[in-house]
Amino acid sequence: MEGTLHSLLHGFAVALQFDNVWYAFLGCLVGTLVGVLPGIGPLSGISILLPVTFGMNATQAIIMLAGIYYGSQYGGSTTSILMRIPGEASSVMTCIDGYAMAKRGRAGAALCIAAVGSWIAGTFGVVVLTVVAPPLATLAVRFGPPEYTALLILGLIFLAYMSSSSLIRTLLMACLGLLLGMIGIDNMTGHFRYSFNLAELGDGIGIVPVAVGLFGLGEILSTPSNQVVGEVIQPKLRDLLPSRQEWREAAFPIGRGTLLGFIIGIIPGSAHVISSFLSYALEKRVSKHPEQFGKGAVAGVAGPESANNAASTGAFVPMLALGIPTSPITAVLIGALMLHGVSVGPTLVNDHPDVFWGFVASMYVGNLMLLALNLPLVSVFVTVLRIPYAYLYPLIIMFCVIGVYEVNNSIVDVWIMLVMGVLGYWLRKFNFDPAPLVLGLVIAPILEQSLRQSLIMSNGDYLIFFQRPIALVLLGVAGGLLLLSAIALIRHRTDWRTKLAEAEAGEPG
Amino acid sequence: MTLRADHVAGAAFVGFGLLVIALSGDLPMGGLSMPGSGFLPKILAGLMIFFGLVLIARAGESRPFAEVEWTDAKHAAAVTAITAAGIAAFELLGFLITMVLLMFLLLVAIERRPLHWAALYSLGVVGLTYVTFEYLLKTPLVTGPFGF
């Protein structure tokens, strides 16, 4: 513990250098804007700005990009509360009660509760990350290929189980993502796979063009400008403070959302999205007045907003300790560090203490900055929302093209982005969630390598996955989740996931 | 029988799975003790076909294909076509010219905005982005035949 504190102090010394504070501020500001603007989520925001970090060192780059990530979680609540448009996917649940509060003249209170809840959750997440990540990294050194295989399979199954769309749809998306991840040279045998003699495909399909295409361009193609309502509720600064009663109603949901979000964040999957859905369901279940949900319940804002922030910090635990991307966003962050010559994994804390502890300490600073940014500057962000969407989306397309091209200076990547944009449009038409596809693409190389290494190690005996305790437990949990989903599928039962999907569609009830 | 959305989606995934298997013909499958480069792709393609068939079998729960809303398809097709033209021209004309034309076309041809506003907005925004990337962020953008 003393060693951790000493290292954290070293981290603060790094994070509080002027340059690093500036990049943390820039990341938080851009992240808030990314969260505020509909149609551009944290994944596309980070991907688009990745080339901007090429002139920085690894610590500055990760501080700024992570600031965009957790900043977007704060910013996403603004459009949800003021316009009933989720700035990004994890703010969907905030729309329901946040907008209802705004309609009742409590927009300021809703924004304040969302910001304070996010700050508490974010800070709690960083404290736990500080304590948990280094020992977990030590434990992770004992992970072999079978354990990694089991962990990644659990991640995919968990995502499928938690998804509000059906199990089959999620597994189909994951399969498609894994298959796209097979494109390029096979690292173990040197075979070219599905590259059609295109040299650019030899290294495989990048995460950035796929993510920007599916989420950035796909969203634009699905959103004709005449369908975007520009009505924004303008909160008054003096109404920002919630009443004593509202604080009381928010306290426990913030605590529950924080704990729930952090735990979900650690598990591979689209954690920040799932956590807000689960937190909403939990709050509704434990509430003495569930009938108020959908009509402006404070808990319906406090819980999900805290949960998505805690989850976004929780997702950094497996990323920093194990080197495993648990979501497309952490995958892009790992990619960004690799571009700067830093390989993420159990040895990161010892090999690059400046990067690790500087990054952790910067999150304490960043969360404070976000609290200071989000409340007083809410009117500024509301002004941004007044830019007509017809003028906004050509700008986003331009940033998509620059962002994708600049990563590898490859026009093939930009074409891939366009194809993925069209695919994203088609998937939305048929109610498929593209997030598992990106996660599949991200984990495909690690999953394939660890699976094949495991089989080679055991001379083809697949029982190796059941003979090692950690792998056995992980696969046992995955099997249990599959069984639960299969039962619901066979019995055609309307379970909590279907109800959440209905709530997402705006039918709280 | 009513054709439903999941019939079409499931069939598309089954078709894609079959295509992957067809394209994997020359990739060695290997054995369990030494899996080849075709090992996982073929398993995944098989799984995709299986899940696609399950989707078709359970398609009764989905809405009829005729009810899938396509009113935004014209907008999507127009944006895709203009973006594709922009991508094709990007390395030939460079960032500045391509992006000004791309934004101008999107605003005038799709959004029906006044010509002078569209021109002013495109020039202003692209110019500002160019200055930001080139001089403030020191990130060089693609140059065209005129050196910018």
Side-chain angles (χ1 to χ4, degrees):
Chain A
M1 193 65 201
E2 202 179 317
T4 304
L5 269 177
H6 182 77
S7 304
L8 186 62
L9 283 176
H10 171 69
F12 273 109
V14 175
L16 291 174
Q17 286 168 13
F18 178 77
D19 280 0
N20 293 339
V21 173
W22 167 243
Y23 287 119
F25 171 77
L26 214 58
C28 291
L29 183 69
V30 173
T32 306
L33 278 171
V34 161
V36 164
L37 293 172
I40 176 165
L43 188 58
S44 26
I46 291 171
S47 309
I48 289 165
L49 289 168
L50 189 60
V52 170
T53 68
F54 292 167
M56 306 173 189
N57 64 40
T59 312
Q60 292 165 343
I62 192 71
I63 283 176
M64 192 181 95
L65 294 176
I68 297 175
Y69 180 27
Y70 53 79
S72 67
Q73 308 300 310
Y74 277 69
S77 58
T78 306
T79 37
S80 301
I81 292 167
L82 301 179
M83 294 175 79
R84 207 179 194 275
I85 292 173
E88 62 110 24
S90 64
S91 303
V92 167
M93 301 318 284
T94 314
C95 283
I96 302 170
D97 285 285
Y99 189 70
M101 279 181 78
K103 290 284 252 188
R104 286 198 286 115
R106 302 302 295 150
L111 285 167
C112 184
I113 286 168
V116 172
S118 299
W119 176 72
I120 292 172
T123 308
F124 171 84
V126 184
V127 172
V128 182
L129 171 70
T130 310
V131 178
V132 167
L136 192 61
T138 316
L139 178 76
V141 178
R142 291 185 217 154
F143 267 45
E147 285 78 14
Y148 274 106
T149 311
L151 184 68
L152 293 170
I153 288 173
L154 172 64
L156 283 175
I157 303 291
F158 188 80
L159 180 66
Y161 177 71
M162 288 299 193
S163 171
S164 56
S165 62
S166 83
L167 174 78
I168 298 297
R169 296 181 120 73
T170 311
L171 290 175
L172 266 169
M173 286 295 93
C175 275
L176 184 56
L178 287 167
L179 274 172
L180 288 177
M182 302 287 127
I183 293 173
I185 300 171
D186 173 18
N187 285 335
M188 292 178 79
T189 61
H191 274 103
F192 269 78
R193 297 190 292 199
Y194 319 113
S195 52
F196 308 104
N197 295 326
L198 278 173
E200 287 88 346
L201 289 182
D203 287 336
I205 289 188
I207 299 157
V208 175
V210 173
V212 173
L214 285 173
F215 293 98
L217 196 59
E219 188 70 39
I220 287 169
L221 296 181
S222 314
T223 317
S225 52
N226 56 8
Q227 286 177 16
V228 179
V229 185
E231 191 190 336
V232 189
I233 295 173
Q234 175 86 52
K236 293 187 181 82
L237 262 178
R238 63 186 155 86
D239 294 335
L240 273 177
L241 275 186
S243 66
R244 194 171 287 184
Q245 174 64 21
E246 283 168 333
W247 278 127
R248 264 201 295 271
E249 287 174 29
F252 282 109
I254 288 175
R256 281 189 290 265
T258 301
L259 274 177
L260 181 75
F262 189 82
I263 293 166
I264 293 175
I266 295 173
I267 304 165
S270 269
H272 60 290
V273 182
I274 296 162
S275 64
S276 65
F277 278 64
L278 281 183
S279 169
Y280 190 85
L282 176 72
E283 290 310 323
K284 199 171 173 184
R285 184 158 291 181
V286 300
S287 171
K288 286 177 187 158
H289 302 287
E291 73 283 354
Q292 286 181 357
F293 278 73
K295 295 170 190 161
V298 171
V301 176
E305 277 302 312
S306 310
N308 70 37
N309 273 274
S312 61
T313 317
F316 288 129
V317 174
M319 173 191 144
L320 293 173
L322 308 174
I324 291 182
T326 54
S327 68
I329 296 169
T330 46
V332 176
L333 292 176
I334 289 176
L337 281 174
M338 286 166 80
L339 285 171
H340 285 86
V342 175
S343 48
V344 181
T347 55
L348 174 72
V349 65
N350 291 325
D351 292 351
H352 300 278
D354 276 10
V355 175
F356 183 92
W357 290 108
F359 167 58
V360 170
S362 80
M363 286 203 281
Y364 287 96
V365 182
N367 272 295
L368 266 177
M369 277 179 187
L370 281 166
L371 190 64
L373 264 178
N374 272 264
L375 290 178
L377 295 184
V378 70
S379 323
V380 179
F381 295 125
V382 167
T383 309
V384 175
L385 288 172
R386 293 222 161 85
I387 300 172
Y389 183 70
Y391 284 98
L392 202 57
Y393 83 80
L395 187 68
I396 298 173
I397 291 180
M398 179 180 75
F399 281 119
C400 288
V401 173
I402 306 174
V404 170
Y405 183 84
E406 290 290 315
V407 175
N408 288 322
N409 282 326
S410 162
I411 202 72
V412 173
D413 279 356
V414 190
W415 283 113
I416 291 171
M417 177 201 73
L418 185 69
V419 172
M420 288 297 145
V422 176
L423 178 67
Y425 172 78
W426 186 86
L427 291 175
R428 279 174 179 82
K429 287 284 162 208
F430 290 88
N431 295 330
F432 285 91
D433 175 9
L437 189 159
V438 181
L439 189 69
L441 174 71
V442 167
I443 66 171
I446 318 170
L447 177 66
E448 185 181 29
Q449 186 168 325
S450 55
L451 175 70
R452 286 163 77 182
Q453 280 176 342
S454 305
L455 289 171
I456 292 168
M457 270 166 68
S458 65
N459 202 21
D461 185 1
Y462 58 85
L463 285 175
I464 188 171
F465 299 109
F466 304 100
Q467 287 162 346
R468 298 168 63 123
I470 298 174
L472 179 66
V473 170
L474 294 170
L475 286 178
V477 176
L481 291 175
L482 264 184
L483 199 67
L484 283 174
S485 289
I487 290 169
L489 196 74
I490 292 162
R491 289 187 182 167
H492 294 265
R493 203 176 63 200
T494 305
D495 64 358
W496 59 271
R497 284 167 294 165
T498 319
K499 288 171 190 163
L500 282 176
E502 285 168 5
E504 185 184 2
E507 302 156 20
Chain B
M1 191 187 85
T2 313
L3 181 71
R4 294 189 174 269
D6 281 359
H7 284 133
V8 178
F13 283 110
V14 170
F16 186 74
L18 291 170
L19 179 72
V20 171
I21 290 178
L23 290 172
S24 311
D26 57 341
L27 293 175
M29 184 78 177
L32 269 182
S33 57
M34 186 55 81
S37 52
F39 181 76
L40 197 55
K42 283 173 186 167
I43 290 177
L44 288 170
L47 280 173
M48 181 171 270
I49 293 168
F50 172 73
F51 292 138
L53 290 172
V54 174
L55 200 65
I56 292 171
R58 295 174 57 87
E61 294 170 7
S62 67
R63 61 196 159 149
F65 181 64
E67 283 180 17
V68 177
E69 188 72 53
W70 293 105
T71 49
D72 54 0
K74 201 176 148 196
H75 168 268
V79 173
T80 306
I82 292 176
T83 309
I87 297 170
F90 194 55
E91 286 188 325
L92 293 172
L93 300 179
F95 169 80
L96 266 179
I97 298 174
T98 311
M99 286 303 151
V100 168
L101 288 175
L102 174 79
M103 291 188 91
F104 183 77
L105 273 175
L106 286 170
L107 287 169
V108 172
I110 299 179
E111 300 303 330
R112 307 281 173 209
R113 300 285 151 167
L115 283 175
H116 61 284
W117 272 119
L120 201 67
Y121 180 77
S122 307
L123 282 168
V125 164
V126 175
L128 197 66
T129 309
Y130 182 80
V131 171
T132 308
F133 272 78
E134 282 284 338
Y135 300 106
L136 294 178
L137 300 170
K138 309 266 184 238
T139 306
L141 294 163
V142 185
T143 49
F146 307 108
F148 56 82

